[in-house]
Amino acid sequence: MGTNKRKGGKDPVERTLFGFILKYSRREQWMIVPFVVASMVFYFISLDLPKTIINQAITGKSFPDPDATARFLRIDLPLPEFFGGAIPLFDGFELSRLPYLVALCIAFLVMIIVNGALKYKINTMKGWMGERMLRRLRYALLDHILRFPLPRFRKVKSAEVATMINTEVEPLGGFIGESIITPLFLGGQALTAMFFILYQHLALGMIAFAVVALQTYIVPKLRRRLLVLSKERQLASRQFAGRIAECVDGVVEIHAHGTSNYERAEISARLGRLFRIRFEIYQRKFMVKFINNFLSQVTPFLFYLAGGYLVIVGKLDIGALVAVIAAYKDLPSPIKELIDWDQQRLDVGIKYNQVIEQFMIEGLADPQTQRLIEKPELPKDGGVRAASVSLVDESKTRLLEGISFEFGLEEHVALVGPHGSGRSELAQITAALLAPSSGKLTLGGLDLAGAPEALTGRAIGYVGTSAYLYPTTVRDNILYSLKHRPVREPDYDPDAREEWLFQLAEAKRTDSTTLDINADWIDHEAAGAADPEALETRLQEVLTTVDLEEVVFELGLRNALDPQAHAGIAEKVLQAREAMRKRLGLPGIQDLVERFDPERYNRNATLAENLLFGTPVGRKFDVENLGSNAFVRQVLEDTGLAPDVLEMGRQLAETMVELFSGLPPGHEFFDRFSFVRQDDLPALKTLLARAADTGLGSLESAERDALFVLPFKLIPARHRLGLIDEAFEARVLQARRRFAETLPPALQGAIEFFDPARYNSAASLQDNVLFGKIAAGQADATARIGALLRLVLDELSLRPLVVRAGLEYQVGVGGSRISPPDRQKIAIARALIKRPLLLVLDQAAGALDPSAQKRIVESLLAARKGHGVFWALARLDLADRFDRVMVLDHGRMTGFGTYEALSAEGGALRKLIDAG
């Protein structure tokens, strides 16, 4: 299954970039060095071969007469003269002039191939190493975030932290692979070329050396300002990302107070600052590039001048000059890349230091507190005891002072006090989320400060004032509290297991956790369930306790379920559909639902639904895309409907502009006539003016599509605009048949047609059962049909199935698709299902209305009878339901006892009651 190891609790993040590189990649760096050394040998040979080809084979120095031969591939061991001179190791092959030329050229080609293969190997190994180190760094930074003390999160923005871990450290991965090997490789290449030039002629070597020295002195000096600008750019970019996140998070406030133009000005100013920094960077960068290129190009001029003179006077042969020029051709590139590497080194060093500074903080939790414990020993006896607990924040403000109390794990305790009394802080300390500045708080004799999270996470359930939901299903959010460790290994097929073993090896190499995310993490035992079916029953109980069952039922009706993943659902839903059909035939309700009929136009459905007569799967036939869908356009052209739909779109646009002009945002007309958004009205008005002047035929394709799509959203019975008559309906039915008959095989999976005898897996459960649309204009039709739907589903014992469907509902980012009160209920259910020894709630029901608060408090206390509850209440009048009440005032405990005693005349609670 894997374990979550840490090496002796040491911090895996080094203070300096090269300290991090050397600590974790030294072995991999040394593994690449032999390939670099080998590449230098072959590189030198490849530089020398052109000289040999020209001097020996082409000009014929080794062939004084036509029948002469030369020895190819002779290998001698050079030794000093007093040792007898060179010792031949291999005599080579005797070749005539033309074969000798061919052999030398082939040898040159082999050197090129070998050099290329070595570079490929070196670059690949550098890439692997860099990515592994980047993974290690990102994992270590996230590990730090998970160990931050809670107050730290008040100082950091989530967008900035995400940007640092994802974007700012991205260049480090590339550089780590280059950090040691690149200067070694490029330096070796440059030295090899320089040595070769000096070996050919001292004067030419000194020219090359002088230019290179000048280049390496001037360019780095010019780049110093670029380093400062790079640092400024990174800070400005991070702050810009944080400001964008603030706009997104505060969008309601922006619209509510009409401050969008202020935000635009703020963003524009920040963009201006970024532009100014980048503009200067570009100016300086390209000036450096110009100087660098000039120095690189002036050297061949000197070579041609000085080298040509030496050849003319007979002090240098033409082959050596060609070889020198060829060698220097390769010299500027590594020198330039070395200078670039040095620039990158300084740049990424700044990035690394800036990121690490944000993560090296005081009060970081010990890694051992988050270690994996298979079966933590939970306290069995004792209660909750606080001894002189005090809390001082970072500004040295005393939030809690000298609080002492004790209560049993079977008691229900209410925590009350005015705003700023320290209720939330004491609740978080009791939940082991904050460590007291002084004093001690124990649970069953266990000191909660520094206790392993594997223990506190099981023993204590906590719900705060604002719940966060993960962007997954309701079920996953509730069961999240049961995911402490992998419980059962996944059943991999051979290919998947091979991939897992690869990932496991990589995780070990980077000191990442080796726990398998694909394992079953749901701890049924912690929830009090023996198996998955018992867990479903437990889920139903928890939903009922937190007053969420009806909400989840509603979500289930709106959700679609895959029959492949839920055995027997299709047959059960079809039974409900038939039962509903019979009920809808009864007098008084037969007109409340207009059922789908292949031979009739449904006036309570959109034109799109009537044309497609099915539910789109994916985006191809989504109503927003129908205007530009080629197949739909072709069907409408073939049936003669296209011009009418376009004209209808124009009429609808005129009506929308006339109705909506001057209306305030949020007016009921926008909801009722939801054809266009308010922001689109100016563009639509301009489009209509152009169409009036030049005709619809003169509009561009995108403009015609914008009008063409509008009628697809039209519901005749609801909108009552008189644009769809019986003749038009008959033609739509004709187009419906043509659509179904000519649908290409490639598009058949993009829609699921309505069929009274089939379950529609793309439609919601409610639409499947009704198989039609609730009639508009009928008094209380929605409420009456909803009640009838519940009755039918209850009669068929399908309510649990619908609730299960509701549990699969996607809650959206941060739970945005769920109302705030329901988000709080899901969070309470999440804490409740793991059956903690102590349930701590910090004004957790504050978002609910008074009656809902009362219901959930009474229900939760009944469900937790005999089990500890510590509840910081938002409403004082609910405190009488608890065994004992604790009163706080300005961080001090002023009373702790029964409600009756504390609310009596002179009691600590009386002052609060009278003030309320």
Side-chain angles (χ1 to χ4, degrees):
M1 183 71 70
T3 57
N4 192 13
K5 296 181 180 178
R6 294 185 190 278
K7 296 182 178 179
K10 292 182 180 179
D11 196 331
V13 179
E14 293 293 313
R15 293 282 181 172
T16 64
L17 176 59
F18 270 86
F20 176 72
I21 292 170
L22 292 174
K23 182 173 181 178
Y24 294 110
S25 69
R26 186 186 298 110
R27 177 176 174 272
E28 287 81 1
Q29 303 278 4
W30 277 110
M31 288 174 63
I32 306 177
V33 170
F35 294 98
V36 174
V37 174
S39 71
M40 295 303 102
V41 174
F42 287 105
Y43 176 58
F44 185 88
I45 296 172
S46 68
L47 290 177
D48 193 59
L49 273 173
K51 171 187 171 183
T52 305
I53 292 172
I54 293 172
N55 288 343
Q56 306 301 326
I58 296 177
T59 60
K61 281 187 178 180
S62 295
F63 301 93
D65 55 70
D67 296 327
T69 61
R71 196 166 291 277
F72 173 72
L73 214 59
R74 177 170 179 167
I75 302 174
D76 294 332
L77 178 63
L79 290 174
E81 289 296 331
F82 58 82
F83 280 116
I87 299 175
L89 298 178
F90 180 66
D91 284 341
F93 308 97
E94 287 287 342
L95 298 175
S96 60
R97 187 172 183 179
L98 185 58
Y100 186 70
L101 173 64
V102 173
L104 286 175
C105 291
I106 292 175
F108 183 66
L109 178 62
V110 169
M111 291 301 104
I112 293 174
I113 294 172
V114 170
N115 262 321
L118 287 170
K119 286 182 180 179
Y120 170 79
K121 182 66 175 179
I122 292 168
N123 289 329
T124 303
M125 294 176 74
K126 288 193 302 184
W128 289 347
M129 179 172 56
E131 286 305 310
R132 284 173 181 146
M133 291 290 284
L134 180 60
R135 172 179 175 168
R136 178 189 291 274
L137 179 59
R138 281 175 168 162
Y139 181 83
L141 293 178
L142 179 63
D143 175 83
H144 271 56
I145 291 175
L146 294 177
R147 295 192 283 127
F148 277 0
L150 285 187
R152 175 65 179 176
F153 290 100
R154 302 189 192 115
K155 293 184 175 182
V156 298
K157 298 173 185 176
S158 57
E160 290 188 14
V161 172
T163 299
M164 281 188 280
I165 293 180
N166 182 47
T167 306
E168 290 188 21
V169 302
E170 179 74 27
L172 301 183
F175 176 76
I176 288 171
E178 310 276 348
S179 58
I180 296 174
I181 298 305
T182 292
L184 185 64
F185 178 78
L186 294 175
Q189 195 175 35
L191 288 174
T192 301
M194 185 65 70
F195 174 77
F196 180 80
I197 294 172
L198 283 167
Y199 182 74
Q200 303 306 313
H201 199 282
L202 180 62
L204 297 181
M206 295 306 296
I207 290 173
F209 180 79
V211 173
V212 168
L214 187 64
Q215 190 177 9
T216 53
Y217 173 76
I218 292 178
V219 173
K221 286 182 69 73
L222 292 173
R223 282 181 165 172
R224 286 178 183 173
R225 174 61 181 164
L226 285 175
L227 296 177
V228 177
L229 291 171
S230 177
K231 184 174 182 179
E232 292 178 4
R233 180 196 61 78
Q234 183 172 349
L235 289 173
S237 296
R238 185 190 302 167
Q239 292 165 359
F240 178 68
R243 194 67 184 88
I244 292 294
E246 289 175 3
C247 289
V248 174
D249 294 340
V251 68
V252 173
E253 301 301 321
I254 292 172
H255 291 313
H257 301 294
T259 58
S260 59
N261 288 314
Y262 172 80
E263 297 297 337
R264 289 187 178 96
E266 167 82 3
I267 295 300
S268 179
R270 290 177 182 269
L271 288 171
R273 170 68 178 153
L274 274 170
F275 172 78
R276 167 60 67 184
I277 294 171
R278 287 180 175 274
F279 183 73
E280 187 175 350
I281 286 175
Y282 284 131
Q283 283 185 309
R284 290 181 175 272
K285 185 169 70 173
F286 288 116
M287 174 57 70
V288 169
K289 188 173 183 179
F290 165 75
I291 294 172
N292 202 32
N293 287 338
F294 172 76
L295 291 175
S296 299
Q297 296 299 322
V298 78
T299 311
F301 159 76
L302 297 174
F303 279 171
Y304 286 126
L305 181 62
Y309 168 77
L310 292 171
V311 170
I312 291 172
V313 299
K315 294 185 178 181
L316 184 71
D317 59 63
I318 188 66
L321 178 61
V322 172
V324 165
I325 293 173
Y328 185 79
K329 178 178 64 68
D330 293 336
L331 184 59
S333 179
I335 296 296
K336 178 180 178 300
E337 289 182 41
L338 274 173
I339 294 172
D340 289 342
W341 172 87
D342 187 60
Q343 169 73 23
Q344 188 183 12
R345 175 185 66 83
L346 296 170
D347 191 34
V348 297
I350 291 172
K351 285 185 172 68
Y352 183 86
N353 293 336
Q354 286 182 332
V355 170
I356 295 305
E357 284 173 7
Q358 302 301 315
F359 290 85
M360 297 291 104
I361 64 170
E362 297 293 331
L364 205 64
D366 190 316
Q368 292 302 308
T369 63
Q370 295 180 349
R371 69 186 186 276
L372 182 75
I373 303 177
E374 288 288 337
K375 296 254 184 200
E377 190 70 29
L378 300 183
K380 294 184 173 61
D381 302 314
V384 179
R385 185 175 182 273
S388 301
V389 169
S390 297
L391 181 67
V392 179
D393 69 8
E394 293 149 338
S395 63
K396 305 304 179 184
T397 302
R398 190 167 289 276
L399 303 176
L400 297 173
E401 184 171 359
I403 294 179
S404 299
F405 60 83
E406 185 173 0
F407 62 86
L409 287 175
E410 75 286 348
E411 291 187 81
H412 298 165
V413 178
L415 179 60
V416 298
H419 179 70
S421 61
R423 287 176 300 167
S424 293
E425 289 77 11
L426 183 56
Q428 290 181 7
I429 289 176
T430 308
L433 297 176
L434 282 178
S437 304
S438 62
K440 187 176 181 181
L441 195 145
T442 60
L443 175 70
L446 173 71
D447 187 357
L448 293 181
E453 286 187 7
L455 192 153
T456 59
R458 290 167 170 84
I460 303 172
Y462 173 82
V463 185
T465 54
S466 178
Y468 179 82
L469 299 187
Y470 294 92
T472 179
T473 65
V474 175
R475 177 193 301 277
D476 287 340
N477 272 285
I478 294 176
L479 298 182
Y480 182 77
S481 62
L482 302 175
K483 298 180 178 181
H484 303 291
R485 63 183 177 88
V487 179
R488 281 167 290 276
E489 292 187 9
D491 184 18
Y492 286 124
D493 61 44
D495 290 341
R497 174 159 291 278
E498 185 178 346
E499 174 62 20
W500 158 240
L501 292 175
F502 170 80
Q503 295 294 346
L504 181 63
E506 288 298 316
K508 289 178 178 177
R509 283 182 175 181
T510 56
D511 279 347
S512 302
T513 182
T514 55
L515 301 176
D516 190 353
I517 190 61
N518 297 313
D520 181 4
W521 286 69
I522 305 298
D523 189 349
H524 294 71
E525 183 181 345
D531 52 46
E533 198 58 40
L535 184 62
E536 292 299 323
T537 303
R538 175 81 176 120
L539 272 169
Q540 298 272 350
E541 294 172 359
V542 170
L543 293 177
T544 303
T545 300
V546 299
D547 196 25
L548 198 59
E549 198 259 0
E550 189 62 28
V551 172
V552 175
F553 180 82
E554 289 279 355
L555 297 178
L557 290 176
R558 305 202 314 252
N559 208 17
L561 279 185
D562 182 3
Q564 302 295 327
H566 299 80
I569 189 174
E571 294 77 10
K572 294 175 182 178
V573 171
L574 290 177
Q575 290 175 17
R577 179 186 293 178
E578 180 60 23
M580 179 62 74
R581 185 189 66 79
K582 292 178 179 177
R583 292 295 183 101
L584 290 173
L586 298 175
I589 60 173
Q590 64 266 36
D591 295 329
L592 295 182
V593 173
E594 185 176 3
R595 291 173 61 79
F596 290 120
D597 186 336
E599 303 302 324
R600 291 183 56 203
Y601 191 98
N602 191 317
R603 296 186 62 79
N604 286 285
T606 64
L607 172 59
E609 291 170 312
N610 274 285
L611 174 64
L612 303 179
F613 201 67
T615 307
V617 178
R619 301 286 299 169
K620 282 189 171 60
F621 291 121
D622 185 83
V623 66
E624 298 292 344
N625 298 328
L626 286 184
S628 57
N629 187 288
F631 177 68
V632 171
R633 293 291 286 265
Q634 187 60 50
V635 168
L636 295 179
E637 292 284 354
D638 293 344
T639 54
L641 277 172
D644 294 340
V645 172
L646 183 61
E647 174 59 26
M648 190 182 296
R650 185 191 64 79
Q651 295 179 45
L652 269 175
E654 287 182 345
T655 304
M656 295 305 100
V657 170
E658 183 180 346
L659 278 176
F660 293 165
S661 294
L663 290 181
H667 194 278
E668 61 175 344
F669 277 9
F670 286 105
D671 181 52
R672 182 179 177 188
F673 300 98
S674 53
F675 299 104
V676 295
R677 299 179 304 169
Q678 187 181 28
D679 294 344
D680 296 335
L681 286 177
L684 199 60
K685 192 172 183 178
T686 303
L687 190 156
L688 287 172
R690 187 156 57 253
D693 291 340
T694 60
L696 291 174
S698 64
L699 298 179
E700 296 180 2
S701 176
E703 294 174 325
R704 286 197 300 273
D705 289 346
L707 293 178
F708 201 81
V709 75
L710 295 179
F712 288 112
K713 306 173 184 179
L714 184 61
I715 303 173
R718 179 185 179 190
H719 298 128
R720 303 181 183 279
L721 297 176
L723 296 176
I724 295 180
D725 54 20
E726 291 185 2
F728 185 84
E729 290 177 1
R731 294 163 66 198
V732 171
L733 294 179
Q734 179 187 354
R736 175 193 295 177
R737 288 188 289 270
R738 182 168 183 81
F739 178 89
E741 292 168 359
T742 61
L743 185 67
L747 294 177
Q748 287 177 2
I751 189 165
E752 190 154 349
F753 292 108
F754 298 139
D755 186 337
R758 289 184 60 201
Y759 174 81
N760 189 325
S761 59
S764 68
L765 284 177
Q766 176 169 307
D767 286 348
N768 264 291
V769 174
L770 292 181
F771 195 69
K773 292 291 183 179
I774 298 176
Q778 295 284 344
D780 299 323
T782 301
R784 293 171 68 187
I785 290 301
L788 182 60
L789 189 61
R790 284 166 174 73
L791 179 63
V792 168
L793 292 171
D794 285 341
E795 288 177 351
L796 295 172
S797 301
L798 290 178
R799 173 173 280 266
L801 178 68
V802 180
V803 171
R804 286 193 182 190
L807 289 170
E808 302 303 324
Y809 184 81
Q810 295 286 334
V811 303
V813 177
S816 57
R817 299 181 68 197
I818 303 287
S819 68
D822 292 335
R823 288 203 293 269
Q824 286 299 110
K825 291 179 181 179
I826 292 174
I828 296 172
R830 179 163 59 199
L832 191 61
I833 197 168
K834 66 179 180 180
R835 304 186 305 163
L837 297 177
L838 178 65
L839 180 62
V840 180
L841 301 110
D842 179 14
Q843 305 173 71
L848 280 61
D849 63 72
S851 61
Q853 285 190 48
K854 180 181 177 182
R855 284 197 310 273
I856 201 167
V857 167
E858 292 176 347
S859 175
L860 199 56
L861 293 180
R864 292 284 296 175
K865 187 174 182 179
H867 302 282
V869 174
F870 189 67
W871 199 324
L873 290 173
R875 289 178 53 202
L876 189 60
D877 60 330
L878 297 172
D880 60 351
R881 275 83 170 168
F882 291 78
D883 299 324
R884 287 204 270 177
V885 179
M886 185 184 301
V887 184
L888 290 186
D889 188 13
H890 293 91
R892 293 178 177 271
M893 190 175 74
T894 59
F896 185 42
T898 64
Y899 180 85
E900 291 75 14
L902 295 176
S903 61
E905 194 65 36
L909 197 56
R910 172 51 52 186
K911 182 180 177 181
L912 289 176
I913 295 173
D914 293 342

